[in-house]
Amino acid sequence: MGAQWATAHGYREIGRRIQAAIDLERFDPPRWEERADAARRRGIRLASLDELRGSRDAAAFEALLHEIYEVEAEAWEDVPIATPTAHWGFDAFRRLLLEQPGNAPDLDLVAFDGDTVAGFTSSFRSRGGWKGGTGFTGVRRAYRGQGIAFAVKVRALARAKASGVRWMLTTNDEPNKAMRAVNHALGYEPLPATVQLEKTL
Ligand SMILES: CC(C)(COP(=O)(O)OP(=O)(O)OC[C@H]1O[C@@H](n2cnc3c(N)ncnc32)[C@H](O)[C@@H]1OP(=O)(O)O)[C@@H](O)C(=O)NCCC(=O)NCCS
């Protein structure tokens, strides 16, 4: 109905963003242990942002944030979104990661190859902690296809579940096969898509 109205008024569909949810009551972390361990067997280790902050001085933590930001910048360019926007500046990234009420540094997982940040996933909590979601997941191009996104998401979901979160949400662009494959495998179920429309005025 809405789509018919939009088409009749000169709008055309340019993309779809699909929100998906996982019920952590049904998410069984041990089931994914072997597969999530593939990255570790390749030498990748994971640490959460709160652990990383607690284990280094302020200057080293800032340097780490800059590196995570660079990884995000590289991954941002590759998100197959119909309406690309410029990557935000470092200050906005830092504020969003550390200074929002819903920040969940225990669920922000960083993947390292030695001292190099290979990828990360960030999450948030809302509504009294029973619900949360993924902010962004990104892996450096050179490290893709090694199970790193899978590993950080499994760890984030396992930690979310252990801390009492029931539902985790995520939103992906319809053509994002790699991210949707990870989420689908883990048991995320799609909700109705947001249809992106465009009209030249
Ligand atoms: C999406 C992204 C995080 C995946 O990272 P990754 O570490 O390479 O992912 P993994 O290796 O854990 O797993 C990718 C899965 O998707 C599959 N996959 C990868 N590319 C695919 C493609 N083009 N078509 C179908 N499946 C694909 C892989 O086969 C793998 O599934 P499998 O384990 O069953 O084989 C990475 O590609 C990226 O940073 N992209 C840009 C940023 C982005 O889109 N982020 C998500 C939006 S928030």
Side-chain angles (χ1 to χ4, degrees):
M1 182 71 180
Q4 273 172 2
W5 181 93
T7 310
H9 288 79
Y11 291 87
R12 69 182 179 92
E13 180 176 329
I14 56 167
R16 285 181 183 227
R17 309 210 75 221
I18 301 169
Q19 196 180 43
I22 184 167
D23 180 354
L24 295 182
E25 233 168 54
R26 288 193 275 165
F27 176 72
D28 180 27
R31 183 177 163 207
W32 303 109
E33 217 163 83
E34 165 73 15
R35 189 164 159 189
D37 204 45
R40 192 189 60 78
R41 292 193 294 272
R42 290 188 165 101
I44 301 294
R45 70 183 175 88
L46 308 186
S48 63
L49 203 61
D50 59 349
E51 292 162 352
L52 292 163
R53 191 171 207 172
S55 64
R56 60 201 66 211
D57 65 25
F61 185 67
E62 286 304 310
L64 174 66
L65 289 178
H66 276 278
E67 198 185 340
I68 298 171
Y69 173 72
E70 280 168 27
V71 174
E72 185 185 68
E74 187 178 301
W76 188 282
E77 283 180 16
D78 297 339
V79 178
I81 187 166
T83 50
T85 51
H87 188 219
W88 41 41
F90 175 77
D91 290 345
F93 163 81
R94 194 185 185 289
R95 261 197 319 277
L96 287 164
L97 195 64
L98 299 177
E99 295 170 20
Q100 300 301 307
N103 285 151
D106 56 321
L107 309 181
D108 294 336
L109 273 304
V110 184
F112 290 92
D113 176 18
D115 290 334
T116 302
V117 176
F120 77 102
T121 190
S122 64
S123 299
F124 60 88
R125 283 190 181 86
S126 54
R127 302 202 187 171
W130 61 270
K131 184 175 152 190
T134 304
F136 188 79
T137 304
V139 172
R140 274 194 200 276
R141 289 178 194 127
Y143 287 98
R144 291 189 191 157
Q146 300 181 26
I148 292 176
F150 194 84
V152 289
K153 289 238 33 179
V154 167
R155 181 77 64 89
L157 294 179
R159 282 177 156 235
K161 177 176 172 130
S163 72
V165 178
R166 169 82 193 263
W167 294 97
M168 286 289 276
L169 299 169
T170 192
T171 302
N172 298 122
D173 298 285
E174 193 273 330
N176 200 337
K177 293 198 167 59
M179 199 67 244
R180 290 183 62 211
V182 171
N183 293 334
H184 177 74
L186 290 173
Y188 280 84
E189 290 185 17
L191 302 167
T194 300
V195 179
Q196 296 168 291
L197 300 168
E198 186 177 76
K199 177 180 177 175
T200 307
L201 297 174

